[in-house]
Amino acid sequence: MNLIRHFCTVIRHRHRVISHCRKAGILRQGLIHDLSKFSPPEFVPGVRYFQGNRSPNAREREVYGYSSAWMHHKGRNKHHFEYWTDVDPVTNKYAPVRMPVRYAAEMFCDRVAASKIYLGSLYKDSSSLDYYRSGNAASCMHPDTAALLESWLSLLAESGEKAAFAAVRKAVKDDRATRKAAGRTKPFETPR
């Protein structure tokens, strides 16, 4: 039974993210969002630890002290801030790296969709911001990424989806234009 329920939860979440990514101007990212969740290292623990009201990764973490599914997932999906860490050339220690705007936008879409799926009828436009502020994600992100995400989540909480997605879409569009004008195709590529 958990197999079907977990599969349906992942599908419902993906459909929400796809819809949100379309509103954010990053439909292509939405279409490939979270495909790794169907791979055995993520799907099998997802079924085993399925609860329906929160991520199975949280339960796996309680049982083992870590989540093998999460470690697999975060290393393959650029919309998670945990993906964006690297060795700082000054300190020679791992540190967060500023996320490209298009992946920060997908992270926003992912967080809003997850709140809607797990909270169901209890979801409010402030739910994603409340969840974000209740954790320590901001302290683990690059400060620019944390500020950008919080600004979008705050706009969602204060002004609703239409205003928030308009702001995300504008940021994505502006970033594309800036990169194009600088002759860059990659988010942080050195200008030619």
Side-chain angles (χ1 to χ4, degrees), residues 77-96:
N77 293 277
K78 295 177 182 181
H79 64 276
H80 290 291
F81 69 87
E82 296 89 346
Y83 178 96
W84 295 95
T85 58
D86 203 354
V87 177
D88 184 305
V90 175
T91 65
N92 212 26
K93 295 181 181 179
Y94 278 96

Side-chain angles (χ1 to χ4, degrees), residues 170-181:
K170 181 181 182 329
V172 168
K173 185 178 178 182
D174 290 350
D175 180 63
R176 280 185 190 133
T178 300
R179 284 187 291 116
K180 186 175 181 177

Side-chain angles (χ1 to χ4, degrees), residues 8-161:
C8 289
T9 300
V10 172
I11 292 296
R12 283 182 25 244
H13 172 70
R14 273 188 37 79
H15 286 177
R16 290 269 179 148
V17 173
I18 291 167
S19 173
H20 292 341
C21 284
R22 181 185 56 77
K23 293 177 185 178
I26 53 171
L27 176 60
R28 184 172 36 165
Q29 283 174 240
L31 294 172
I32 61 171
H33 179 82
D34 277 356
L35 289 177
S36 69
K37 283 190 177 179
F38 297 104
S39 67
E42 293 180 38
F43 192 78
V44 172
V47 171
R48 183 173 295 138
Y49 300 106
F50 178 83
Q51 297 168 307
N53 62 345
R54 65 183 184 146
S55 171
N57 299 340
R59 179 66 186 140
E60 185 183 19
R61 217 171 269 119
E62 290 168 355
V63 172
Y64 294 109
Y66 68 94
S67 170
S68 62
W70 172 246
M71 288 201 268
H72 186 272
H73 186 75
K74 71 178 181 173
R76 287 156 180 79
N77 293 277
K78 295 177 182 181
H79 64 276
H80 290 291
F81 69 87
E82 296 89 346
Y83 178 96
W84 295 95
T85 58
D86 203 354
V87 177
D88 184 305
V90 175
T91 65
N92 212 26
K93 295 181 181 179
Y94 278 96
V97 176
R98 183 170 44 97
M99 286 177 74
V101 172
R102 67 177 177 254
Y103 297 119
E106 186 179 353
M107 178 171 57
F108 170 81
C109 295
D110 184 40
R111 285 171 173 265
V112 174
S115 293
K116 288 179 177 181
I117 294 300
Y118 288 125
L119 293 175
S121 63
L122 299 176
Y123 173 82
K124 301 178 301 230
D125 283 340
S126 62
S127 297
S128 299
L129 179 63
D130 294 342
Y131 181 78
Y132 173 75
R133 287 184 173 163
S134 72
N136 69 342
S139 66
C140 301
M141 284 184 215
H142 188 278
D144 294 347
T145 302
L148 183 61
L149 178 62
E150 187 159 354
S151 73
W152 291 337
L153 293 173
S154 296
L155 187 57
L156 173 65
E158 295 162 12
S159 303
E161 279 194 18

